[in-house]
Amino acid sequence: MTPLVELQDISVRFEIGAGGLFGRARRTLAAAERVCLAVGEGETLALVGESGSGKSTLGNVVAGLQAPSAGSLRFRGRLLDAATWREARRAIQIVFQDPFGALDPRMPVSEIIVEPLRIQGSFSAAERAARAAALVEQVGLPKDALNRYPHEFSGGQRQRIAIARALSPRPALIVADEPLSALDVSIQSQVLNLMKELQERNGLAYLFISHDLAVVHHLVDRVAVLYLGRLVEVATREALFAHPQHPYTRALLDSVPRIGRRRPRGRTIGGEMPSPLAPPPGCVFHPRCPKAQARCRAEVPALDETGPGQRAACHFPG
Ligand SMILES: Nc1ncnc2c1ncn2[C@@H]1O[C@H](COP(=O)(O)OP(=O)(O)O)[C@@H](O)[C@H]1O
Ligand code: SF4
Ligand SMILES: [Mg+2]
């Protein structure tokens, strides 16, 4: 794998409650804690975890929308700073869950799609118009879509518009933050297939954020599992689905209904994810872990290799 984007020890902390109405003390919320992760050229990496685990925060860091509190990012080997972000910003685009909120209702599709090019400033109006026309076709929208406005389209079509917009500056990576979650189930597979097709055609990499492992199963090369802002497992799709090493990954898989699976379903973990304001000591998963032992409460497990293409942060993997 040739790394495209590399995250090294990325932490994102939000200071909350500072000088608020009730004079609460400042508290630090760790939305991401020392995350090391790379997305390869042309790769699809899924970022999964339950709501509040820090997926969007990390996706925003990768897309340059959220500055990390600590750690560094590299793009094609170069450390990203204010100057190098200029190129990376074009090469990394993002598609959000809500395809309506993300589109300016007063702009026709022809302008929405090439807005990133207009901001860049290095394309003529004719070049932008030609690019918009080509993109509308690539994402499977009718030609006359160009002169229409977002509200005239269905949810699935709007997500196609958002995808066309992300594609317009010819990115190397698209961060897709739960791009299917707001769509009808019948539409989800169409948009998923479109994303696959566009990837082959454009040599794109995806950071595909999802709370649902079933959705990512057919699309991804590798999976990164987040829990309370920490990576708990990173593995190739094959390894992760065949032999998950972290108890949390196992629990996530057990909660996914899948055809042809022998393992009994519904063996989900009890309890809820603790607040990121007060993460448990040691392994943050220990209060919910069926395998927890004394060592787990005292010692933070490192994300160590457990087999080829597989790393897990657990003292007792497997
Ligand atoms: N701007 C912010 N200010 C304070 N807390 C935030 C902010 N953004 C996210 N959080 C908190 O960070 C944690 C991770 O959120 P998020 O990245 O949205 O998770 P996910 O996308 O996995 O649901 C949550 O506890 C959330 O409440
Ligand atoms: S380190 Fe201990 S508590 Fe954490 S996941 Fe592994 S067995 Fe469970
Ligand atoms: Mg999110």
Side-chain angles (χ1 to χ4, degrees), residues 172-195:
L173 170 69
I174 291 183
V175 176
D177 191 351
E178 311 225 23
L180 310 177
S181 304
L183 306 179
D184 289 345
V185 175
S186 59
I187 306 296
Q188 287 183 358
S189 60
Q190 292 174 18
V191 174
L192 204 55
N193 288 337
L194 170 71
M195 288 182 69

Side-chain angles (χ1 to χ4, degrees), residues 13-36:
R13 303 189 188 104
F14 297 110
E15 298 291 335
I16 60 169
L21 198 55
F22 306 104
R24 278 188 303 159
R26 274 162 81 98
R27 299 179 76 191
T28 303
L29 186 152
E33 194 62 31
R34 307 203 69 160
V35 172
C36 296

Side-chain angles (χ1 to χ4, degrees), residues 14-255:
F14 297 110
E15 298 291 335
I16 60 169
L21 198 55
F22 306 104
R24 278 188 303 159
R26 274 162 81 98
R27 299 179 76 191
T28 303
L29 186 152
E33 194 62 31
R34 307 203 69 160
V35 172
C36 296
L37 188 66
V39 187
E41 298 267 4
E43 174 184 54
T44 302
L45 176 67
L47 191 55
V48 303
E50 60 202 296
S51 176
S53 57
K55 304 181 298 295
S56 295
T57 299
L58 274 184
N60 289 342
V61 166
V62 171
L65 302 174
Q66 168 71 53
S69 317
S72 58
L73 274 109
R74 283 174 188 276
F75 178 71
R76 292 191 166 132
R78 284 169 70 197
L79 201 61
L80 283 176
D81 54 28
T84 43
W85 255 116
R86 257 187 77 82
E87 190 215 331
R89 224 174 271 288
R90 176 198 64 79
I92 305 171
Q93 295 292 316
I94 187 163
V95 171
F96 296 100
Q97 173 178 343
D98 171 13
F100 200 59
L103 307 174
D104 188 333
R106 296 154 307 177
M107 263 194 202
V109 169
S110 59
E111 282 178 35
I112 288 174
I113 290 179
V114 292
E115 205 194 2
L117 300 185
R118 196 173 53 73
I119 294 165
Q120 252 176 276
S122 40
F123 298 88
S124 70
E127 282 168 331
R128 293 200 303 269
R131 183 94 182 113
L135 282 167
V136 152
E137 201 208 310
Q138 263 200 50
V139 300
L141 288 168
K143 266 206 172 64
D144 69 0
L146 285 169
N147 305 316
R148 287 152 60 194
Y149 290 81
H151 72 265
E152 299 176 59
F153 296 90
S154 67
Q157 287 175 319
R158 274 180 271 187
Q159 203 53 303
R160 285 172 194 261
I161 297 169
I163 292 169
R165 183 181 199 275
L167 284 171
S168 76
R170 301 187 194 278
L173 170 69
I174 291 183
V175 176
D177 191 351
E178 311 225 23
L180 310 177
S181 304
L183 306 179
D184 289 345
V185 175
S186 59
I187 306 296
Q188 287 183 358
S189 60
Q190 292 174 18
V191 174
L192 204 55
N193 288 337
L194 170 71
M195 288 182 69
K196 263 195 246 180
E197 206 181 292
L198 292 170
Q199 179 169 46
E200 280 158 27
R201 192 163 165 177
N202 298 288
L204 280 171
Y206 286 129
L207 179 62
F208 194 98
I209 294 174
S210 177
H211 62 271
D212 185 351
L213 270 170
V215 167
V216 304
H217 185 239
H218 297 287
L219 179 79
V220 304
D221 302 309
R222 288 192 306 140
V223 182
V225 183
L226 264 184
Y227 183 78
L228 210 64
R230 280 88 170 159
L231 278 183
V232 297
E233 182 155 5
V234 183
T236 61
R237 176 186 60 182
E238 292 75 17
L240 189 111
F241 283 90
H243 40 81
Q245 294 299 300
H246 196 283
Y248 181 61
T249 312
R250 196 166 282 267
L252 279 183
L253 282 173
D254 281 340
S255 65

Side-chain angles (χ1 to χ4, degrees), residues 246-248 283 285-286 289-293 296 301 313-317:
H246 196 283
Y248 181 61
C283 171
F285 188 59
H286 85 252
C289 183
K291 289 169 71 181
Q293 299 181 32
C296 306
C314 176
H315 295 308
F316 309 101

